Amino acid sequence: MYKLTRIPDKIYYVGVNDRQKALFENLWPLPYGVSYNSYLIADDKTALVDTVDICYSDLFFKRISEILNGRPLDYLIVNHMEPDHAGSIRLLRELYPQVQIVGNAKTFGMLEGYHGVISGLHEAKEGDVLDLGHHKLTFYTAPMVHWPEVMFTYDTTEKVLFSADAFGTFGTLDGAVLDSDMDTSLYWSEMERYYSNIVGKYGSPVQRALQKLSGVEIKTICSTHGPVWREQIDRAVSVYDRFSRYEGEHGVVIAYGSMYGNTEQMAEAIASELGANGIRNIVMHNVSRSHASYVLRDIFKYKGVIIGSPTYSNSLFPEISSLLSKIEIREVKNRLFGCFGSFTWSGAAVRNLNAFCEKMKWEPVGMPVEEKQALKEEKYQACLALGKAMADRLNGIG
């Protein structure tokens, strides 16, 4: 049997944990798994908020059936059509053919495209209210957080925000659902990684959504991934607010590629001088070992970015080139940038890194350093100078 978790009275958690999937979206590592959250409101009328990945539909349907106990399911509210949340819709419709599917016009286009569903639809426009009896649900559109059809559902009775993917995080729910019942320390870095990789490009839409909700009293946030936020709402919102503003913290990310260790020696020299000049938050990523999702998280988190690459086939080291593409796609703004590189017979890496900085409209800091073959004293000192220049800029010196 299923142990029921009430969010407040009459709102039940019916989500599932995925401990099997290795890569989210076949891209991003899931060392702690991921949850797919769904919520059932059992009022005079019943409403399910989102579904789960189709792989877990059997377990999901058993949980719903246990709570309904023979009652009909009146509404399915679709806040987000991504398959990890909407994958079970067609099967749910077969089990509950009378259910009305609540969404917006963009939702309905995706319902037809993914599931062939074109009937039994209830359109929810901005500010519309759905009366379930005790619970009154209001709908807010949140386009491009992070798909165009996204909307939030707000229960005005219990002050619960069903926020789709917003305020979500990687990581399964290991025994508890509410943040008040668990140690949440694991989830904060995973929330930052989730935001950076999944939502990252859409800072402006996130800011518009936050502004829309600024006058709404929220006592509970029910996201589609990770804990239900009650005690730590302010902290969860602050992560999304800070990251969507691209407000980097005081610190530096050094991301580098190195084939034979020469470029890595340059990275070590730069890091040592950053530390010697008072920079406490220094994160180093060898891109051949660090998955890009962690590098992106840290680039969203910290203000200073220093990237190093050897020249590879008259271009950048392939993993550095891939990383730059991912940063560019996410349109990360307002970073301080330094670069360095090495080559054996013809240098191209630093030229390409400088072009990247210009394209991103980041602020260049210090003099770029490029060494031919092994690191020698002159370029070692130049690496120290680059580290000091970045530290001084972050510390407001000069």
Side-chain angles (χ1 to χ4, degrees):
M1 300 297 290
Y2 173 54
K3 181 175 174 59
L4 302 179
T5 299
R6 287 180 170 87
I7 307 305
D9 186 45
K10 298 184 179 180
I11 301 179
Y12 298 88
Y13 178 84
V14 290
V16 298
N17 286 313
D18 187 345
R19 306 179 195 279
Q20 306 301 319
K21 191 177 273 94
L23 296 173
F24 191 77
E25 297 180 341
N26 238 9
L27 287 168
W28 318 115
L30 292 172
Y32 309 110
V34 67
S35 69
Y36 310 123
N37 299 343
S38 174
Y39 308 90
L40 180 61
I41 307 172
D43 204 334
D44 296 342
K45 294 285 188 178
T46 60
L48 181 68
V49 183
D50 291 310
T51 70
V52 303
D53 191 296
I54 194 170
C55 298
Y56 295 89
S57 57
D58 283 353
L59 176 61
F60 176 57
F61 294 152
K62 286 178 183 177
R63 292 178 174 182
I64 294 169
S65 176
E66 185 176 336
I67 296 168
L68 290 178
N69 194 26
R71 294 182 63 190
L73 180 62
D74 296 301
Y75 299 104
L76 167 63
I77 297 166
V78 181
N79 283 331
H80 186 23
M81 274 297 301
E82 201 168 5
D84 55 333
H85 308 299
S88 298
I89 288 178
R90 181 180 55 80
L91 295 177
L92 183 80
R93 193 60 171 291
E94 292 176 3
L95 282 175
Y96 301 97
Q98 82 290 344
V99 68
Q100 292 286 302
I101 300 179
V102 181
N104 54 61
K106 291 180 179 177
T107 308
F108 297 157
M110 294 184 184
L111 275 172
E112 181 178 6
Y114 275 111
H115 301 292
V117 173
I118 59 173
S119 62
L121 307 179
H122 178 100
E123 185 173 358
K125 297 179 180 177
E126 180 81 18
D128 280 358
V129 176
L130 181 65
D131 190 340
L132 302 180
H134 177 64
H135 295 265
K136 312 291 191 296
L137 307 180
T138 302
F139 302 100
Y140 297 94
T141 57
M144 300 318 303
V145 184
H146 57 122
W147 277 28
E149 86 302 348
V150 170
M151 68 181 190
F152 297 160
T153 300
Y154 176 65
D155 175 17
T156 60
T157 305
E158 299 288 354
K159 316 300 183 189
V160 176
L161 180 70
F162 300 94
S163 62
D165 276 349
F167 315 114
T169 169
F170 294 132
T172 54
L173 299 175
D174 299 340
V177 171
L178 298 171
D179 65 348
S180 54
D181 297 335
M182 67 174 76
D183 177 1
T184 62
S185 56
L186 163 74
Y187 296 102
W188 299 111
S189 64
E190 287 296 273
M191 175 181 276
E192 292 170 344
R193 193 165 66 93
Y194 180 88
Y195 180 95
S196 304
N197 290 277
I198 308 302
V199 187
K201 178 182 178 70
Y202 303 108
S204 293
V206 170
Q207 280 296 307
R208 286 193 290 271
L210 291 174
Q211 182 60 37
K212 186 179 289 188
L213 295 172
S214 61
V216 176
E217 182 185 2
I218 300 172
K219 293 184 178 179
T220 307
I221 294 179
C222 293
S223 175
T224 47
H225 293 295
V228 170
W229 303 112
R230 180 173 289 168
E231 289 187 347
Q232 300 186 69
I233 287 175
D234 289 346
R235 184 173 179 180
V237 172
S238 74
V239 170
Y240 271 65
D241 184 36
R242 186 174 71 254
F243 274 44
S244 62
R245 292 178 188 272
Y246 307 99
E247 290 183 353
E249 298 175 19
H250 190 272
V252 179
V253 179
I254 302 176
Y256 67 92
S258 188
M259 289 184 285
Y260 306 113
N262 297 303
T263 313
E264 185 171 63
Q265 288 181 46
M266 300 174 78
E268 295 282 4
I270 293 165
S272 69
E273 193 66 9
L274 286 166
N277 283 273
I279 304 302
R280 298 179 66 107
N281 295 315
I282 305 167
V283 185
M284 297 185 70
H285 287 290
N286 177 342
V287 296
S288 296
R289 295 182 61 85
S290 294
H291 191 276
S293 66
Y294 296 94
V295 186
L296 289 168
R297 175 197 64 193
D298 292 334
I299 287 172
F300 266 83
K301 187 170 184 176
Y302 294 113
K303 185 74 172 178
V305 178
I306 302 176
I307 297 181
S309 174
T311 294
Y312 185 93
S313 295
N314 203 37
S315 187
L316 292 165
F317 187 66
E319 293 304 316
I320 288 292
S321 182
S322 177
L323 174 65
L324 299 190
S325 175
K326 291 178 175 66
I327 297 169
E328 198 174 317
I329 286 170
R330 285 158 182 78
E331 300 178 5
V332 182
K333 298 174 177 60
N334 306 323
R335 290 297 177 265
L336 307 175
F337 182 77
C339 66
F340 61 99
S342 63
F343 64 96
T344 295
W345 65 87
S346 179
V350 166
R351 181 179 71 246
N352 282 291
L353 290 170
N354 282 330
F356 167 78
C357 176
E358 185 175 349
K359 188 172 186 178
M360 295 297 297
K361 299 181 180 178
W362 289 358
E363 180 185 333
V365 174
M367 292 296 295
V369 186
E370 190 162 38
E371 176 63 285
K372 183 176 182 179
Q373 298 156 11
L375 180 61
K376 294 170 270 300
E377 180 64 23
E378 179 184 355
K379 294 301 171 72
Y380 174 76
Q381 293 298 326
C383 288
L384 298 182
L386 175 55
K388 186 175 189 309
M390 180 63 77
D392 287 350
R393 178 65 181 84
L394 283 167
N395 292 331
I397 299 173

